[in-house]
């Protein structure tokens, strides 16, 4: 009887799936806030970065498993971090000429920020510390040097952005590189104060004496907050890094690249060390997709035999 009462008591204190999902979402948002406030703008070790991303992904999966329509369902690992349709909406909205663009000013700069993150997969901190000298405006016209640095005496921001992963070359389209060059020559050059430093993306408003100064990490976050409000969908800089990996997998499959070579290429492009396990997050998704395809093919053969 005592065991039965204890079992019933545990059932009574269980909350609904929606409540659990809300609590997990708040926890995930709070952890994201803490990481950005205390780590993302500083150079943290790869171990800390990888532990955070693993924990974030695990909470996200648990959160998605608590659907209001299907209680206690298994999360679909093949789901995209952002659907292709919403991703296209984002890229259309950020175009300076778009009627849906939510910004009154700095349209070219904001377009370039989102486009570079989407095409290169680099982190927010790496983007904020990009300098004109880091871009290859010659040859293939598509390379960006991403490197680690501990102290930059040219950077007077209170929260100095840092590149946490290994130094590497990021690739963007020559067309986007040309647009960045136009921004540097015809927009950035007209802003007072930009002659004092080499950072590409700068503040275009004079509030608090920041006109012409390197753009802060919080300002980049505000760009995505405004886009999220207009899209009615939460988007953030790191989401584009995940979307880049999804696109990378699709292109690798189309080109039929050996998975080992694909993973080595991914590690380099992401700036991960050779012995990292971060790529396992994307491996699991690809394996799940293959398992579904194999199961479907097997079921088709079974159905044909039965017919």
């Amino acid at each position: 009887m005592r065991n039965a009462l204890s079992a019933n008591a545990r059932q009574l204190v269980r909350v609904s799936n929606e409540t659990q999902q809300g609590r997990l979402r708040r926890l995930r948002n709070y952890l994201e806030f803490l990481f950005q406030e205390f780590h993302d703008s500083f150079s943290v070790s790869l171990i800390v970065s990888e532990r955070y991303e693993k924990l974030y992904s695990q909470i996200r999966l648990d959160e998605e498993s608590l659907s209001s329509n299907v209680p206690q369902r298994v999360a679909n690992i093949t789901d995209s971090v952002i659907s292709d349709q919403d991703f296209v909406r984002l890229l259309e909205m950020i175009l300076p000429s778009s009627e849906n663009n939510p910004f009154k000013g700095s349209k070219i700069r904001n377009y370039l920020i989102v486009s570079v993150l989407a095409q290169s997969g680099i982190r927010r901190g790496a983007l904020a510390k990009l300098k004109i000298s880091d871009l290859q405006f010659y040859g293939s016209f598509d390379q960006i040097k991403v490197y680690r640095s501990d102290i930059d005496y040219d950077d007077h921001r209170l929260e100095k952005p840092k590149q946490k992963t290994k130094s590497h070359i990021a690739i963007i389209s020559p067309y986007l590189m040309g647009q960045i060059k136009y921004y540097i020559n015809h927009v950035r050059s007209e802003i007072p104060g930009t002659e004092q430093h080499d950072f590409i993306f700068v503040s275009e408003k004079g509030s608090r004496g920041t006109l012409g100064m390197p753009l802060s990490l919080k300002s980049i976050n505000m760009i995505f907050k405004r886009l999220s409000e207009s899209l009615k969908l939460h988007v953030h800089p790191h989401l584009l890094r995940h979307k880049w990996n999804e696109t990378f997998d699709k292109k690798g499959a189309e080109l039929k690249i050996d998975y080992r070579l694909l993973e080595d290429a991914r590690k380099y492009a992401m700036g991960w060390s050779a012995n990292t396990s971060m790529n396992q997050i994307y491996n699991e998704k690809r394996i799940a997709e293959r398992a579904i395809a194999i199961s479907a093919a097997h079921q088709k053969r079974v159905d044909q035999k039965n017919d």
Side-chain angles (χ1 to χ4, degrees):
M1 182 63 71
R2 186 181 296 110
N3 291 339
L5 289 171
S6 177
N8 287 335
R10 284 196 293 271
Q11 287 295 324
L12 289 173
V13 298
R14 286 186 58 183
V15 297
S16 67
N17 290 344
E18 291 80 2
T19 303
Q20 293 182 59
Q21 190 177 47
R23 290 175 178 176
L24 285 172
R25 185 183 303 111
R26 287 193 293 273
L27 173 62
R28 176 170 56 83
N29 291 338
Y30 182 58
L31 291 174
E32 183 179 10
F33 165 77
L34 289 177
F35 186 81
Q36 291 179 354
E37 287 293 316
F38 297 103
H39 290 298
D40 201 25
S41 53
F42 301 95
S43 178
V44 300
S45 67
L46 286 175
I47 295 176
V48 173
S49 176
E50 290 180 4
R51 286 177 62 187
Y52 166 74
E53 293 194 14
K54 284 182 180 179
L55 177 61
Y56 185 95
S57 298
Q58 288 169 354
I59 293 176
R60 183 66 179 269
L61 288 174
D62 288 339
E63 182 185 330
E64 292 176 351
S65 70
L66 297 168
S67 170
S68 58
N69 297 325
V70 186
Q72 300 296 344
R73 69 179 176 90
V74 178
N76 187 358
I77 196 172
T78 61
D79 285 347
S80 175
V81 291
I82 177 173
S83 70
D84 291 342
Q85 182 179 2
D86 287 332
F87 186 55
V88 170
R89 284 177 57 215
L90 170 64
L91 297 182
E92 186 280 329
M93 178 178 289
I94 199 61
L95 288 172
S97 59
S98 173
E99 295 180 355
N100 300 316
N101 194 305
F103 302 102
K104 294 182 179 179
S106 306
K107 290 186 177 182
I108 296 177
R109 183 202 65 188
N110 295 348
Y111 158 74
L112 293 175
I113 286 173
V114 174
S115 299
V116 170
L117 289 172
Q119 288 195 18
S120 66
I122 63 175
R123 295 175 181 274
R124 180 191 62 158
L127 177 127
K129 69 186 293 293
L130 282 181
K131 295 184 176 183
I132 298 174
S133 54
D134 296 331
L135 275 61
Q136 182 176 298
F137 293 120
Y138 57 88
S140 58
F141 209 69
D142 63 354
Q143 296 185 10
I144 298 176
K145 290 184 290 184
V146 180
Y147 53 89
R148 297 193 70 170
S149 60
D150 295 326
I151 301 176
D152 190 336
Y153 294 104
D154 294 330
D155 192 350
H156 301 293
R157 284 172 283 193
L158 293 178
E159 293 185 51
K160 295 178 175 56
K162 296 292 183 180
Q163 163 59 15
K164 300 183 293 184
T165 49
K166 291 172 57 179
S167 300
H168 63 282
I169 299 294
I171 303 296
I172 61 175
S173 71
Y175 177 74
L176 180 57
M177 185 70 79
Q179 291 178 311
I180 296 175
K181 186 175 183 180
Y182 175 88
Y183 167 77
I184 293 171
N185 293 337
H186 300 284
V187 179
R188 183 185 181 279
S189 62
E190 298 297 321
I191 301 173
T194 54
E195 70 281 354
Q196 300 177 15
H197 60 85
D198 197 28
F199 293 100
I200 296 175
F201 299 113
V202 300
S203 174
E204 298 182 6
K205 294 182 179 180
S207 60
R208 300 182 181 179
T210 59
L211 181 64
M213 295 295 100
L215 197 64
S216 69
L217 294 169
K218 290 183 179 179
S219 294
I220 295 175
N221 287 344
M222 289 304 298
I223 292 172
F224 280 86
K225 181 179 179 182
R226 186 72 176 274
L227 289 169
S228 297
E229 293 170 352
S230 298
L231 286 167
K232 295 183 175 12
L233 174 72
H234 180 53
V235 293
H236 51 88
H238 208 74
L239 179 140
L240 297 184
R241 185 170 169 88
H242 285 295
K243 189 63 177 179
W244 183 96
N245 275 280
E246 290 183 3
T247 305
F248 181 80
D249 277 336
K250 291 178 181 178
K251 294 296 182 183
E254 290 174 5
L255 297 173
K256 298 181 179 179
I257 298 176
D258 181 85
Y259 77 93
R260 289 166 294 189
L261 177 60
L262 192 70
E263 289 314 305
D264 287 342
R266 187 202 304 277
K267 289 177 182 179
Y268 175 81
M270 292 289 96
W272 294 333
S273 61
N275 59 353
T276 184
S277 59
M278 274 306 304
N279 60 313
Q280 189 61 32
I281 295 174
Y282 306 101
N283 285 343
E284 289 176 357
K285 181 173 182 176
R286 187 170 62 252
I287 291 169
E289 290 173 341
R290 287 182 179 178
I292 292 171
I294 292 171
S295 297
H298 173 70
Q299 187 60 48
K300 185 177 180 180
R301 287 196 297 269
V302 171
D303 292 342
Q304 288 174 346
K305 289 180 179 179
N306 293 335
D307 292 342

